[in-house]
Structures are given as C-alpha cells and as structure tokens.
Amino acid sequence: MGLDLSFFTWDLARNFLIGGLIFSVVLTLVAMTGGIFFGTLLALARLSDRPWLAFPAAGYVNAMRSVPLVMVILWFFLLIPFLIGRPIGAEWSAVITFTAFESAYYSEIMRAGVQSVARGQAAAGFALGLTYAQSMRLVVLPQAFRNMLPVLLTQTIILFQDTSLVYAIGAYDLLKGFETAGKNFNRPVEAYTLAAVVYFVICYSLSGSVRRLQRRMAVVR
Amino acid sequence: MNFRWEWEVFLRDTGGGESYLDWMISAWGWTLAVSALAWLLALVLGSAVGTLRTVPSAWVARLASAWVELFRNIPLLVQIFLWYHVIPALVPPLKEVPGFALVVFALGLFTSARVAEQVRAGIQSLSRGQQAAGLALGLSLPQAYRFVLLPMALRIVIPPLTSESMNIIKNSSVAFAVSVSELTLFALQAQEETARGIEVYLAVTGLYVASAFTVNRAMTWIEARVRVPGQAAPERR
C-alpha cells in the first residue's frame, strides 16, 4: 500500500491545520516568554543566600523536572478548575501548564548562565554603587542571557515538540489538526506522515539556525 | 472548598474482578517494561550510531548524523503514531506486532539519537593522541576503537546517560496515546471512572518519581564501579 496524498489541498490546510499551527506556535511563544521570565526569577531565587527563597525554588524546579510532562499536563487540567471553581478550556490550561513547566527548565539554563558570568562582574557593579537589582539587571543578566542564548533556543525547539503532548487533554494543536483531517478524509496514514514531515522541517530548520548562531557567537567571543 | 481524602478508592473493584491497586501495579510493570526494553535498544543503537559519527569515513559519519537528526527533530508522540499507525500500514507483516513492541521501538529509537550524541561527545572529548597512539602501536582502526577509545568514552558518558535513563521513564508516559496499559493511561482511565483524580494522580506521580530515583541510584552505583582509576571524579549527587 502506497501513500496517496491527493486528498491534501489548500482547503484542507485552511480548515484543519492553520488553526492548530497557530495554537502550537502561540503556545510555544507564550511558554517561552513566560518560562524565561519566571525561570530567571527562579534561578535568582535558587542562587540567593536566603534559604527561604532558595529552598522553595529548588523544590519547585526539582519537582517539575522529576514528573513526566504528560502527568503535569493532566495535573494542571485537574487542579486549575478545582482551585478556581470553574472549568477552564484545554487550550488555556495548556498555556498555564507549559509556562509553569518550562519555567523549571529555563531556570536551570539561566542558573548556569548566571554562574558563567565572572564573579567580578557583579562585584564591579556593587563597587560602582549599583544595588543588587541594578547590577543583576544591567550587568549580570544581559551577559548570562547572551551566553545561554543557543541553549535557550534549543530548549524552545524541544518545547515546540513537546506542545504536541496537549493531545492528552484534547487541545487543538498542529498534531490534532492533522489527526482530525486524517479522520475526516479517512486518510490517517498520510495525515500522520505529513505531520511528521512538517514537524521535522520546522524543527530541523530551527536547529540549523541555532547552530549557525552558535558559530557566529563563538567567533565574536 | 471542602476536600476529603478517599484513598479507599484503590480498593474499589474495577469491574473486572481486580482492584484499582492491582491495575495500578500492573500498569507500573508495563511502564518499567517499556522503559527497560527501550533503554536497552537505545544503548545498543545509540552507542553504535554515536561511534560511527566519529569515524573518518565521511559518508558513514553523514549517515549517522542523519539518523540523529531524524529522530531528534520529530516529537516523540508523532514518532509513536508513525510506528503505530503508519509503519504497519506500509509494511503489512508488522500488523501482527503488538502495540507494546511498537512503542518500545519508537521510544528506543528516539532515545538512541540522544544516546548517540552523548557517546559522540564522549569519544571526541578524548585527546586525539589516544587514537593516534593506538594506530601507532599497530592496531587497526576497529581495534583502536575496541581497546582504546570506547573503554574510556563509554565510562565518561555514564553521568549524562544517567539523566537520559531517567528521561526514558518519563517519556514512556507518552505510550498512553496508543493504548499501552501503562501508568499514565491508568491515571487517565482511573480518574475518569472513579472521579478521584487527586488520589490517583498522586499515587501515579509517586511511582514515577520512585522509579526515576531508583534508576538514578543504580546508575550512580554503576558509575562508581566503572570509574576510570586516577581520573578526577566529579563531586556530585
């Protein structure tokens, strides 16, 4: 049995795929932005001398990292309505879950980033009369962020792949779009194959760009 | 908000003569079986592909790179669907293969790409002189790999492989999507049937964490056993 791709038309793409693709991309971008923001705060908390900040942050990061993502998705889908008292759609639940989950992973990257900046940099900031917040914001974090940029982007590609796991709660993402199209046209084999090709093309070209960026940065440094 | 624990839910009958606890234990067994077999596959294939990426022959190295890129750039869930829905449709004899085995292949090949990257990095972290010294002693290239490079590299990569072996347990949860009766599928179905999601999810999460922790200890033990004498041991864990 061969593949028959004739069912695949622009109409089909418009009706089934574009919406899913937009959701996957928006979910990735929101979780990346939120994840890097909260992840940076978590990293600073973990590196803090104050145990009441460092311990809960470490606990949160380790808890998120030791549970399968699918279970985290299910947990949030179960708990958010329970806590706020009303149902929340699978899409919103996914956005909150991925932001919370990715914060833990981005925080590990940012922690390594902050530690990669020479200690003298923060000290120099203090010596110039900057407060802790100022020397972090103006001196340390920009360098940490720059050093870790390739790793942060690689994590974002992994994040994009992981968004397909919203399948567990039935959110309509790119994969779901392919699956629905495959069901409607009774062409599941072709639909899953195309899904794999599309994910591969997106992720392969993105990781290629990250590699090029890495090479360019290596020359500058 | 008034919530009461109801752990008795695990003693309830599922309707098939067994309790939810029995079901959960057998689901745990499936999770461990999928993870262990996939890990075995990933180690064998990953070591081979990772080694081939470092050989002088350009086209062999390129083929091995293609392997890594292929399995790294498609989401695991999509790969599982490929193995489950697409490959048996294209290769009819595979229709007889149970879903469990297909998931093992999917997870094993997915992880083999990550193992290959670690093994390649391990081999490339050795000083160039090692290989040259082997060749100068009259070893053939395969012998240099067999007796000089791999015994060092495979021990160096154990710490990164530890985290991969914990990842594989977490990643096995994706098997729920093709109805392999493992822990996550149990969690979904038991939650639906009993409406005691919190107790069910807590127990399942606990089993995942306990499994990953046990694997971590085991790998740390192996690491200590096979450590290269005289090489600085990283102080960790």
Side-chain angles (χ1 to χ4, degrees), chain B residues 138-162:
Chain B
L139 298 184
S140 65
L141 189 66
Q143 283 172 330
Y145 270 96
R146 162 75 184 78
F147 295 107
V148 181
L149 298 176
L150 288 179
M152 286 295 285
L154 290 180
R155 288 190 277 188
I156 290 174
V157 298
I158 289 179
L161 287 188
T162 302

Side-chain angles (χ1 to χ4, degrees), chain A residues 60-94:
Chain A
Y60 177 82
V61 171
N62 288 332
M64 282 294 173
R65 280 161 36 99
S66 48
V67 179
L69 174 54
V70 184
M71 281 311 296
V72 178
I73 292 173
L74 293 178
W75 264 117
F76 275 70
F77 196 53
L78 179 79
L79 283 184
I80 295 172
F82 188 76
L83 292 176
I84 64 174
R86 61 189 173 79
I88 169 175
E91 279 76 14
W92 277 110
S93 182

